[in-house]
Amino acid sequence: MTTPLRLGIAGLGTVGTGTVKIVRQKAHLLAVRAGRPVEISAVSARTRDKDRGVNLSSYDWEDDPVALAKRDDVDVFVELMGGSDGPAKAATEAALKAGKDVVTANKAMLALHGQELAQLAEANGAVLRFEAAVAGGIPVIKSLTEGLAGNEVTRVLGVMNGTCNYILTRMQSAGLPYDTVFEEANQLGYLEADPELDVGGIDAGHKLSLLSAIAFGTQVNFAGVELEGIGRILIEDIRAAADMGYRIKLLGVAQMTGRGLEQRMSPCLVPAASPLGQLEGGTNMVVIEGDAVEQIVLRGPGAGEGPTASAVMGDVMDIARGLRVSTFGQPAATLSPSQPAQSAAPAPYYLRMTLRDKPGALAKVATLLGASGISIDRMRQYDHADEAAPVLIVTHKTQRSALNEALEAMGQTDVVLGEPVALRIEEV
């Protein structure tokens, strides 16, 4: 086929301009690999006159992204505006209703409306691709939908927000407190306009819900993701974890259990020597476990102009080659509603608490843990100069519900000062 594949790109921020650069600079390479030219017909963004560092004069301009999506000279609508609703969703729906294929980097839109958009795509003979929405330049969507299609996936886990990983690793390497590193990340432009999307685990939770849908054949259920951010992690936790051979990561975990689909995005301890434990800076990593392949590890840049635009173009090239894959790896009608797990699988936990320095305080804590069926694996009490004694406890495997019961009982005593911190220890 020599007919060009014509793109309409909505959104000319970092990823949008990166995509334009690849199309312009790699035109010959793309044509050779796709077997047809890949061209841009028109673009759209909020501001027309902004200097984006790339020449856009040869493309038509549409102020309205919905109009761009409907153009006769657009075969693939590339949505890079962002936002779960509003113009992004309206333009995506318009493109799909017109039978046009869509490539998007919009994790929030898919996490909240993925099922209906997948159904709309199939009803109109279109495909909806979103490699760039999860883990930047890592081809994790393609791995799940294609390379691992012969596997029954048992677990997906990983670090999916580079900003949080930067903050946690910077705290460890520089010995700096959370607030200092948070402000540093903000000054470097790493944080979203609403920082809670990053540090609250929401951004990464969106990504986890998309991976879960593909891995387990379920409808996207972001509401079923248990979210906990990194705001409570102290430098003392970072140091104590390292002292015991662990590192703290904002870790997403999805697995199908007898209790339902477990989806968690929360700070966890992982072995320092594991691939996840060794992950530094803004890099992302996704670990996939399947019955045939056992375990694979995918690692790479999780954001940025080049990596994310690379993922966008991967989807564009598949469409140019004629590859048609269902949005979540199987027909939308066959995706089953997911039943959120009522409780997480048992695991060891790290507990940090401050005890009143008085006889019997530690014994009382151990008794309350034992009364909830929780046994202690390791315990450390650090030197202190006042009446508040910092104590660290690592439990054997237990249910989180049992741990919550014990923590509630501790709060009713006069020996625990403040609120204890409990972090799951994930086996990887």
Side-chain angles (χ1 to χ4, degrees), residues 155 157 246 251 253 264 268-271 274 276 289 295 346-348 397 424-428:
R155 186 170 67 151
L157 68 159
Y246 295 103
L251 193 67
V253 180
R264 292 180 282 104
C268 293
L269 274 68
V270 299
S274 69
L276 283 166
E289 297 173 353
Q295 184 184 87
K397 283 187 177 182
R424 184 182 174 97
I425 301 175
E426 198 68 45
E427 297 176 352
V428 294

Side-chain angles (χ1 to χ4, degrees), residues 24 29 37 64 151 191 240 247-248 252 280 364 371 397 412:
R24 291 177 67 90
L29 181 65
D64 181 4
N151 283 258
L191 289 165
R247 298 190 73 177
I248 298 176
E280 298 287 338
K364 183 172 287 189
K397 283 187 177 182
Q412 297 171 3

Side-chain angles (χ1 to χ4, degrees), residues 335-356:
L335 297 169
S336 60
S338 63
Q339 177 62 45
Q342 297 303 307
S343 61
Y349 280 85
Y350 157 96
L351 302 178
R352 171 177 56 81
M353 62 187 70
T354 302
L355 303 186
R356 195 180 302 280

Side-chain angles (χ1 to χ4, degrees), residues 353-365 381 384 386-391 410-418:
M353 62 187 70
T354 302
L355 303 186
R356 195 180 302 280
D357 192 6
K358 56 184 281 188
L362 197 55
K364 183 172 287 189
V365 167
Q381 184 170 348
H384 55 284
D386 52 25
E387 295 184 358
V391 173
M410 291 177 198
Q412 297 171 3
T413 71
D414 63 348
V415 300
V416 179
L417 304 176

Side-chain angles (χ1 to χ4, degrees), residues 254-270:
Q255 56 190 343
M256 187 64 74
T257 72
R259 301 171 303 281
L261 178 60
E262 184 179 326
Q263 300 181 96
R264 292 180 282 104
M265 184 61 64
S266 61
C268 293
L269 274 68
V270 299

Side-chain angles (χ1 to χ4, degrees), residues 367-389:
T367 298
L368 291 174
L369 288 170
S372 295
I374 301 170
S375 61
I376 296 174
D377 178 31
R378 285 180 280 171
M379 181 164 50
R380 292 188 182 180
Q381 184 170 348
Y382 290 89
D383 292 338
H384 55 284
D386 52 25
E387 295 184 358

